[in-house]
Amino acid sequence: MNKLKNILTVFKREFLSFFNSPVAYIVITAFLLFSGWLFFQQFFLMGQASMRPFFGLIPILFIFFAPAITMRLIAEERKTKTISLLMTLPLGNAEIILGKFLAAVALLGVGLLLTLPYALTVASVGVLDWGPVWGGYFGALLMGAAYLAVGMFCTSLTSNQIVAFILGLGICFVFFIIDKILMFLPEKLATAFEYLSVDYHFHNIARGVIDLRDMVFYLSFISAFIIYSIYAIQREDWR
Amino acid sequence: MIEARNLSKAFGPIEAVKDLSFEIREGEVVGLLGPNGAGKSTTIKMLTGYLTPTTGTVKVAELDTSRDIQSIRRRIGYMPQDIPLYEDMVVLDYLHFISDIRQIPAASRREKIKEVAERCSIEKVITQSIGTLSSGYKQRVGLAQALIHNPDILILDEPTSDLDPNQIVEIRNLIKEIGKEKTVIVSSHILSEVQATCGRVMIISEGKLVADGSPDELLAQERSDNIVHITFQGIGPDEGLEAVSRIDGVAKVKAAAEGRFIVEAKTGQDVRADLFHLAVARQWVILEMRTEQISLEDVFRKLTMN
């Protein structure tokens, strides 16, 4: 009970501080700008009332935006040393990481929510099947959370935001590209790599099929990186 | 209240704290004194559980930091060095954030925040964002943050480093007042501060405890009556040196300006009476005679410099 309350307290502070600094505005604006521009470019070419091109973009865009959101979460606290206060308050490391992670997910959620007008625009010019749209949003949030968990881990490793960003981008990219190199691999390895791909599971969900396997993948992927993060902030090299 | 046993902390090859043992009783106000890099902050960080000792144990209120760190943290108010605060937050929001974590019930929260703001005199800036505050105010917000839950133990790492003289006096008075009922640990390299606020001083040098006691005790340990400063009216250096050095107990004598002489007696001898008789015999007028005043600074320098 107390733990939940603590997570909520950390979450609240972190989420509000996104908006106290320019970070949230810049990240969200850039996300809307890129996704809107790239989507409508394809949309008018294709001439179909569908959000598929939008959800096709999301996995690539998030490779950049997820680490941009998470890069400061721990690294900045280390640089400004506020971490020494945070970690001597009666808070568990898991509570700190989870609170911050959820704040990042919430910010990403806000970004996604602000793309709803795209769907409404599409619906106004043609007949839009809303099923895959909701599936797409749900999948995008899950996949975003997976990227953010990677980013969370990267920011827990360093006191330098740029390092956290680049590292996060690299790892996210690996988990994105992993199913696109399958043709070079023996078949058995290929299935394993396909399963590890963040993008592959996203496309399953974005089609509107919510399969337990994809859910299990995302949840275990997120849990793994969150647990790594909790261990990573226990290291004392920065103190 | 606090018991450290054989505490050591190594960062790679660097040993910041070496085999430190001490005990702090409830209600004591202890000054942790040492030059920069002596291991004060490292010691404090181990007391708060921020750092884990390489070897040794810390017990706070009978609880072990390696096991019950969360319950210990609930009873500690801590202000780290350089007062790291969230610069983007408004002071009031920040205090609310801390109250949330400190589990101060919503009913008494407004009261508590008001009280602590008054105590640390930050009412004027309570609606300002922390980043815009002067370092003096920041320091006091840091103090407010450490006091808000009325902790049994207050740990302040260099609490007055950024304050002006008036604020220093204020903070010292506050520390003294808090020290009447709580256990307080203050680290500092400013000696006058420790002398003014603490009933007990622990001097740390190169990670080791080199002295432990009340300021008076430390002074008494190092006091020496064997150096006498004396000033004769209108006596030149040569004349004075010649006469004084002939006294039996004198080991060394140095002439300073305007008839002042610094006389070092042989160990265990008091030459003040002899100096008086000399002056009487020669009809010299003594303007001043005093034994050398040892300050805590001297003790500190002596113990921490090799």
Side-chain angles (χ1 to χ4, degrees):
Chain A
M1 191 58 213
N2 270 336
K3 286 189 173 153
L4 275 179
K5 238 168 121 185
N6 285 342
I7 293 173
L8 193 72
T9 308
V10 175
F11 166 82
K12 223 167 67 187
R13 197 207 77 74
E14 205 59 61
F15 188 67
L16 290 174
S17 91
F18 275 127
F19 292 94
N20 280 338
S21 68
V23 183
Y25 302 100
I26 292 173
V27 170
I28 288 180
T29 313
F31 172 63
L32 292 178
L33 224 58
F34 279 110
S35 60
W37 177 53
L38 292 169
F39 166 53
F40 282 105
Q41 223 178 19
Q42 285 187 51
F43 173 73
F44 289 116
L45 274 177
M46 216 170 54
Q48 264 180 15
S50 157
M51 286 287 279
R52 271 187 66 186
F54 171 73
F55 290 117
L57 286 170
I58 289 286
I60 303 170
L61 286 178
F62 276 7
I63 292 177
F64 296 92
F65 289 107
I69 291 173
T70 51
M71 66 179 185
R72 59 183 279 277
L73 290 177
I74 301 292
E76 195 188 29
E77 295 233 23
R78 283 213 181 97
K79 187 126 267 170
T80 60
K81 293 181 184 156
T82 46
I83 191 123
S84 66
L85 247 181
L86 192 66
M87 290 187 74
T88 48
L89 289 169
L91 277 177
N93 290 348
E95 290 150 39
I96 294 172
I97 291 287
L98 278 171
K100 282 173 178 281
F101 170 68
L102 291 175
V105 173
L107 185 70
L108 197 87
V110 170
L112 278 174
L113 207 66
L114 291 172
T115 63
L116 263 182
Y118 301 173
L120 295 174
T121 312
V122 173
S124 70
V125 295
V127 186
L128 179 65
D129 180 3
W130 281 94
V133 175
W134 295 130
Y137 273 117
F138 179 63
L141 197 65
L142 265 180
M143 186 192 55
Y147 281 157
L148 290 170
V150 171
M152 196 71 227
F153 170 61
C154 294
T155 193
S156 309
L157 289 176
T158 174
S159 59
N160 184 325
Q161 295 194 40
I162 307 295
V163 170
F165 176 71
I166 307 268
L167 197 63
L169 196 137
I171 299 180
C172 287
F173 185 71
V174 167
F175 281 106
F176 167 76
I177 204 79
I178 204 165
D179 69 331
K180 286 153 192 85
I181 51 164
L182 296 178
M183 55 183 115
F184 307 113
L185 292 172
E187 208 172 310
K188 270 191 187 152
L189 214 55
T191 11
F193 273 45
E194 191 177 64
Y195 185 77
L196 281 175
S197 166
V198 171
D199 190 37
Y200 164 76
H201 294 279
F202 170 65
H203 284 291
N204 286 347
I205 298 176
R207 275 203 307 270
V209 190
I210 292 175
D211 190 324
L212 194 64
R213 268 174 303 182
D214 302 321
M215 303 294 291
V216 168
F217 168 75
Y218 278 124
L219 292 180
S220 42
F221 186 93
I222 292 168
S223 316
F225 276 97
I226 290 298
I227 290 167
Y228 297 154
S229 310
I230 293 167
Y231 279 106
I233 58 165
Q234 279 170 0
R235 292 180 52 196
E236 293 179 347
D237 313 31
W238 295 275
R239 299 175 198 173
Chain B
M1 200 67 179
I2 297 173
E3 197 187 331
R5 256 217 200 120
N6 307 100
L7 216 51
S8 296
K9 179 71 188 174
F11 297 98
I14 303 156
E15 275 188 277
V17 172
K18 294 168 208 159
D19 203 27
L20 201 62
S21 296
F22 57 84
E23 207 176 308
I24 293 171
R25 284 175 298 276
E26 197 169 342
E28 270 189 308
V29 180
V30 178
L32 212 53
L33 207 57
N36 288 323
K40 287 170 296 184
S41 285
T42 307
T43 307
I44 280 183
K45 283 172 183 173
M46 286 193 279
L47 299 185
T48 57
Y50 184 56
L51 290 177
T52 321
T54 312
T55 58
T57 52
V58 181
K59 275 189 180 168
V60 178
E62 309 291 310
L63 298 167
D64 198 311
T65 48
S66 60
R67 273 200 307 269
D68 302 300
I69 190 62
Q70 299 302 350
S71 2
I72 291 173
R73 282 174 182 165
R74 263 178 221 118
R75 307 181 62 167
I76 290 182
Y78 171 45
M79 182 168 113
Q81 203 174 2
D82 308 321
I83 11 146
L85 301 168
Y86 295 113
E87 306 258 310
D88 57 333
M89 282 181 107
V90 169
V91 176
L92 188 63
D93 293 345
Y94 182 67
L95 293 179
H96 270 293
F97 167 66
I98 298 290
S99 318
D100 269 334
I101 294 176
R102 293 293 188 186
Q103 295 170 1
I104 295 168
S108 61
R109 179 169 306 179
R110 191 183 283 265
E111 194 81 356
K112 275 265 159 70
I113 290 180
K114 206 181 142 204
E115 186 189 307
V116 86
E118 219 164 89
R119 226 171 166 189
C120 304
S121 34
I122 50 168
E123 304 115 301
K124 254 198 286 181
V125 296
I126 201 115
T127 54
Q128 274 187 43
S129 119
I130 294 174
T132 65
L133 299 182
S134 68
S135 36
Y137 270 122
K138 270 185 208 162
Q139 206 130 30
R140 283 184 275 167
V141 172
L143 195 60
Q145 163 276 128
L147 284 174
I148 197 158
H149 55 297
N150 202 12
D152 300 331
I153 301 164
L154 185 65
I155 300 180
L156 308 173
D157 203 346
E158 312 220 342
T160 57
S161 54
D162 278 320
L163 302 177
D164 66 36
N166 294 335
Q167 294 166 338
I168 289 180
V169 172
E170 264 174 57
I171 295 291
R172 277 182 195 165
N173 290 339
L174 187 58
I175 292 174
K176 264 193 245 171
E177 193 196 309
I178 294 163
K180 280 179 198 156
E181 36 191 303
K182 312 269 170 188
T183 310
V184 183
I185 300 173
V186 185
S187 96
S188 181
H189 56 261
I190 305 166
L191 299 135
S192 53
E193 175 162 305
V194 170
Q195 209 163 4
T197 49
C198 303
R200 178 175 163 199
V201 181
M202 294 199 290
I203 299 181
I204 294 181
S205 176
E206 289 170 6
K208 287 187 203 136
L209 193 62
V210 290
D212 187 353
S214 75
D216 292 339
E217 276 168 28
L218 292 186
L219 287 177
Q221 255 175 40
E222 298 300 324
R223 190 185 305 284
S224 56
D225 289 327
N226 63 344
I227 292 183
V228 181
H229 293 239
I230 189 162
T231 310
F232 301 114
Q233 193 174 36
I235 301 301
D238 295 335
E239 196 184 353
L241 282 179
E242 187 261 329
V244 174
S245 58
R246 252 196 274 158
I247 297 174
D248 242 0
V250 171
K252 232 169 41 184
V253 58
K254 263 193 309 188
E258 291 167 33
R260 209 150 65 81
F261 297 89
I262 300 157
V263 184
E264 195 178 321
K266 289 175 184 153
T267 342
Q269 300 229 27
D270 192 343
V271 292
R272 283 176 295 184
D274 300 320
L275 285 168
F276 173 74
H277 291 307
L278 170 78
V280 170
R282 303 218 171 187
Q283 296 199 315
W284 291 350
V285 177
I286 299 177
L287 293 179
E288 185 199 15
M289 174 152 74
R290 60 183 167 89
T291 56
E292 190 162 87
Q293 286 296 307
I294 285 267
S295 67
L296 206 53
E297 254 106 51
D298 300 316
V299 179
F300 179 77
R301 221 171 292 132
K302 197 166 165 190
L303 288 169
T304 58
M305 276 200 344
N306 295 310

